[in-house]
Amino acid sequence: MTTAPPITALSALLPPTVHCTEAFGPPPHGALLDPERRHIHGRSPRRQRQFTAARTLARQALTELGHPPTPLLPGPGGAPDWPSGIAGSITHCTGYTACAATRTTHLASLGIDAEPAEPLPHGVLDLTATADEQRHLTRLPRGQTPWDRLLFSAKEATYKACYPLTRQWAGLATITVHLRPDHTFTACHPHHPTPHHGRWTATEGILITTLTIPRSATTG
């Protein structure tokens, strides 16, 4: 009898075919493979800790998928170059590191993002959101959710999900997102214009956003 993986804050937002690993608090320690060690050599201690933690969790997720250890080096867009047949995404911010991975037989792509549950620094919203999006934020319920930061995170998750399919850079202001208080959102990417649906949560001072793209969205 196989044991179902534990439900985590991240996995609760994603289909059961996605394997998730996450850590709250300091970045987890782990060992890098030689190509990864060479890639990160000479970077700041903080960047090395983030890189190592993300690869440690990513390898755990790949192991759960039955995939042998493999170097995960940044590709042209900066995201990990995942093994053939795997769709994955990693994220880290102060106090949180996570990875989600699945087989491309289940999903075409996915993106995850995490941000501190705090308002964006002054001026960032104007650079990353349209006037319509900013007006929509003012109509959302007031409370503990920093909607501006959540919008930013949802755009990041959308970019991460779409880039492996489009291989085209897109500024966050060109990705349109409609947030809803029911912990869902809809997003459109300029190079992958089919509306995509995402989910979000706030826990332990962290905002987490996820977006999945089904295989049907990439086939005629």
Side-chain angles (χ1 to χ4, degrees):
M1 174 185 269
T2 58
T3 302
I7 299 298
T8 65
L10 179 60
S11 64
L13 301 176
L14 291 164
T17 53
V18 180
H19 290 258
C20 302
T21 51
E22 67 180 354
F24 288 90
H29 296 289
L32 295 177
L33 300 179
D34 286 343
E36 295 168 335
R37 195 175 297 110
R38 289 193 294 269
H39 170 80
I40 202 65
H41 177 74
R43 308 291 181 90
S44 70
R46 179 175 180 272
R47 178 65 185 126
Q48 291 190 41
R49 287 193 298 271
Q50 291 174 335
F51 184 90
T52 301
R55 269 64 192 173
T56 299
L57 294 184
R59 256 187 288 283
Q60 291 177 14
L62 288 174
T63 297
E64 293 173 4
L65 287 167
H67 200 284
T70 186
L72 292 174
L73 300 175
D81 193 2
W82 296 92
S84 177
I86 300 293
S89 184
I90 61 176
T91 187
H92 50 74
C93 67
T94 301
Y96 185 76
T97 309
C99 170
T102 189
R103 296 192 180 279
T104 51
T105 51
H106 297 304
L107 291 173
S109 189
L110 61 89
I112 66 173
D113 188 69
E115 298 286 336
E118 302 169 354
L120 284 173
H122 178 72
V124 174
L125 185 64
D126 289 338
L127 296 175
T128 56
T130 66
D132 284 344
E133 287 173 325
Q134 294 186 48
R135 280 192 292 270
H136 176 67
L137 294 185
T138 66
R139 295 193 289 268
L140 291 169
R142 295 185 179 183
Q144 295 183 341
T145 302
W147 296 109
D148 58 345
R149 179 81 73 161
L150 185 64
L151 180 70
F152 179 91
S153 181
K155 288 177 178 244
E156 287 278 1
T158 303
Y159 176 82
K160 291 179 180 181
C162 290
Y163 182 81
L165 304 177
T166 67
R167 296 294 175 179
Q168 291 181 283
W169 180 84
L172 294 188
T174 69
I175 298 171
T176 58
V177 167
H178 182 84
L179 296 174
R180 288 181 286 271
D182 66 354
H183 292 255
T184 66
F185 65 89
T186 303
C188 288
H189 187 285
H191 305 305
H192 204 272
T194 302
H196 302 299
H197 303 286
R199 299 179 69 190
W200 66 270
T201 192
T203 181
E204 299 189 35
I206 303 294
L207 300 173
I208 305 172
T209 55
T210 69
L211 186 136
T212 57
I213 299 179
R215 288 180 54 81
S216 59
T218 62
T219 60

